[in-house]
């Protein structure tokens, strides 16, 4: 029987899901979180390791004699030395396409909150401000109508495509920058260069994986191309944005606002200048984490383990 060790299971299952799809596959030890100094003790006899963000570096991988398979309970796998795993003949599989609807939903929620400022208006009403108005309505900030505005999407995988579909329902025009333009443009979508996308978009949303080539690419150069009344949304990976440059753009009102579900360092360190800015909306990397999405993820990870045990691993990244 396989020994399975789950190093940081809390983010996947804080108690509202059943671990049975995985525990039925072998002897399983589940830890909510694992500090770096306890990793070796906990996985020394493991055949299979599940990790979300816990780091598995070369030094750890090289001293685990029983390890045969690493299953990532996420799509990103930059916390694993995949080269070291490959050299040891250890397959690494990730999970894909489990959070498409949830992340797209959160992206649109950030966009609408930035534009409508519903939370601010609700707080004002609860504070008694409405009753003190001379008119039947009032506005704390300007809002725009999305119809005929341009939604710029960078990265056009399943999440980007889903966001485009929802934005089209609002009557928005879709501008897309993607690496692979061999596929024909979908109806209502126009493939454009990065420069054109930043110049013409009223809302820009990032939906691409983090690589060594795109780290910090949203910097002062591209931010300076954006319209003064435009918005930037990131539900992808925090390091895609140069946070110092974004802070300057927001402070100087070069752009109207930003909605971020991810930051360069998570959890953020004290003193992150973006936290507390009136025109920067930040949520705690929760776009993916609906119950439906996490349940889907649980079953994808279980399928990855089953496929490996059957000698036909799937979703292998190394």
């Amino acid at each position: 029987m396989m020994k399975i060790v789950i190093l940081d299971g809390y983010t996947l299952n804080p108690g509202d899901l059943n671990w049975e799809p995985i525990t039925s596959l072998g002897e399983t030890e589940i830890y909510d979180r694992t500090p770096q100094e306890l990793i070796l003790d906990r996985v020394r006899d493991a055949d299979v390791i599940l990790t979300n963000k816990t780091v598995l570096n070369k030094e750890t991988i090289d001293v685990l004699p029983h390890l045969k398979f690493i299953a990532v309970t996420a799509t990103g796998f930059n916390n694993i030395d995949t080269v070291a795993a490959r050299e040891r003949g250890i397959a690494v599989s990730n999970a894909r396409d489990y959070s498409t609807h949830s992340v797209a939903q959160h992206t649109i929620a950030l966009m609408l909150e930035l534009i409508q400022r519903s939370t601010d208006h609700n707080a004002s009403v609860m504070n008694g401000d409405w009753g003190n108005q001379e008119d039947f309505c009032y506005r704390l900030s300007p809002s725009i109508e999305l119809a005929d505005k341009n939604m710029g999407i960078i990265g056009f995988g399943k999440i980007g495509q889903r966001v485009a579909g929802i934005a089209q329902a609002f009557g928005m025009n879709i501008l897309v920058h993607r690496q692979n333009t061999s596929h024909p443009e979908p109806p209502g979508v126009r493939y454009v260069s990065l420069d054109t996308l930043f110049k013409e978009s009223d809302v820009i949303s990032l939906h691409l994986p983090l690589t060594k080539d795109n780290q910090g690419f949203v910097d002062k150069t591209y931010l300076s191309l954006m319209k003064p009344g435009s918005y930037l949304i990131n539900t992808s990976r925090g390091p895609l944005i140069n946070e110092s440059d974004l802070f300057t753009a927001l402070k100087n009102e070069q752009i109207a606002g930003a909605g971020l579900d991810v930051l360069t360092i998570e959890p953020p360190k004290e003193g992150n200048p973006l936290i507390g800015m009136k025109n920067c909306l930040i949520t705690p990397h929760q776009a993916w984490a609906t119950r439906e999405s996490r349940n889907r993820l649980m079953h994808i990870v279980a399928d990855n383990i089953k496929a490996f045990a059957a000698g036909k691993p799937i979703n292998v990244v190394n």
Side-chain angles (χ1 to χ4, degrees):
M1 178 177 286
M2 291 186 297
K3 181 171 182 180
I4 303 169
V5 177
I6 303 172
L7 287 174
D8 48 0
Y10 187 84
T11 51
L12 169 57
N13 181 13
D16 58 348
L17 299 178
N18 191 332
W19 283 111
E20 194 273 338
I22 292 171
T23 57
S24 64
L25 302 177
E27 176 191 348
T28 307
E29 294 180 5
I30 303 170
Y31 301 96
D32 283 348
R33 302 167 187 87
T34 298
Q36 198 69 28
E37 64 271 16
L38 293 181
I39 293 176
L40 277 178
D41 286 341
R42 292 181 174 180
V43 301
R44 198 173 302 278
D45 299 323
D47 299 295
V48 176
I49 296 176
L50 272 63
T51 178
N52 185 291
K53 295 293 185 290
T54 301
V55 174
L56 293 175
N57 56 28
K58 177 177 174 60
E59 291 73 21
T60 299
I61 291 170
D62 282 348
V63 296
L64 299 177
H66 302 285
L67 183 61
K68 303 176 183 67
F69 183 58
I70 299 171
V72 190
T73 59
T75 302
F77 51 89
N78 55 300
N79 56 314
I80 298 169
D81 190 328
T82 55
V83 174
R86 185 177 67 239
E87 290 172 349
R88 286 274 322 277
I90 298 166
V92 179
S93 290
N94 71 344
R96 307 165 192 170
D97 302 334
Y98 62 90
S99 62
T100 299
H101 297 292
S102 296
V103 175
Q105 173 179 298
H106 196 84
T107 298
I108 298 301
L110 290 174
M111 178 178 71
L112 293 176
E113 179 59 27
L114 284 168
I115 291 169
Q116 302 294 144
R117 292 288 177 180
S118 300
T119 302
D120 291 345
H121 285 85
N122 174 70
S124 174
V125 170
M126 295 303 168
N127 195 44
D129 296 341
W130 198 3
N132 298 323
Q133 300 297 316
E134 294 185 57
D135 303 306
F136 75 94
C137 70
Y138 67 101
R139 293 176 297 280
L140 299 176
S141 58
S143 59
I144 64 171
E145 187 175 83
L146 291 174
D148 294 324
K149 298 298 189 296
N150 292 337
M151 166 67 100
I153 299 175
I154 304 177
F156 206 51
K158 290 191 176 181
I159 295 175
Q161 292 172 36
R162 182 63 180 151
V163 169
I166 300 173
Q168 285 177 317
F170 286 113
M172 300 186 77
N173 308 308
I174 309 300
L175 309 180
V176 166
H177 179 78
R178 67 183 306 183
Q179 292 296 321
N180 183 4
T181 57
S182 61
H183 301 292
E185 294 175 340
V189 173
R190 180 161 59 101
Y191 294 157
V192 297
S193 68
L194 272 178
D195 281 9
T196 298
L197 187 143
F198 274 91
K199 287 177 181 177
E200 296 187 8
S201 296
D202 298 287
V203 180
I204 295 174
S205 191
L206 307 182
H207 298 287
L208 65 167
L210 177 67
T211 69
K212 59 182 176 60
D213 296 322
N214 64 20
Q215 186 162 336
F217 86 97
V218 182
D219 58 9
K220 59 184 178 182
T221 300
Y222 281 119
L223 290 167
S224 68
L225 299 178
M226 293 178 67
K227 299 178 182 180
S230 60
Y231 298 89
L232 175 67
I233 299 173
N234 187 12
T235 54
S236 192
R237 288 291 182 266
L240 293 169
I241 296 175
N242 182 312
E243 290 182 355
S244 176
D245 289 353
L246 177 59
F247 169 77
T248 301
L250 291 169
K251 181 180 179 182
N252 296 337
E253 297 184 353
Q254 287 177 256
I255 63 174
L260 311 174
D261 186 53
V262 288
L263 294 173
T264 298
I265 297 175
E266 299 172 348
K269 292 184 178 180
E270 185 176 353
N272 185 312
L274 294 174
I275 295 177
M277 297 195 77
K278 64 179 182 179
N279 54 350
C280 188
L281 178 64
I282 302 176
T283 53
H285 204 144
Q286 68 181 81
W288 68 280
T290 62
R291 188 179 187 279
E292 293 83 356
S293 175
R294 289 182 291 106
N295 187 57
R296 203 175 294 121
L297 172 57
M298 176 87 75
H299 284 84
I300 291 172
V301 172
D303 287 343
N304 285 347
I305 299 172
K306 290 177 187 176
F308 170 76
K312 299 179 180 179
I314 57 176
N315 297 322
V316 176
V317 297
N318 69 330

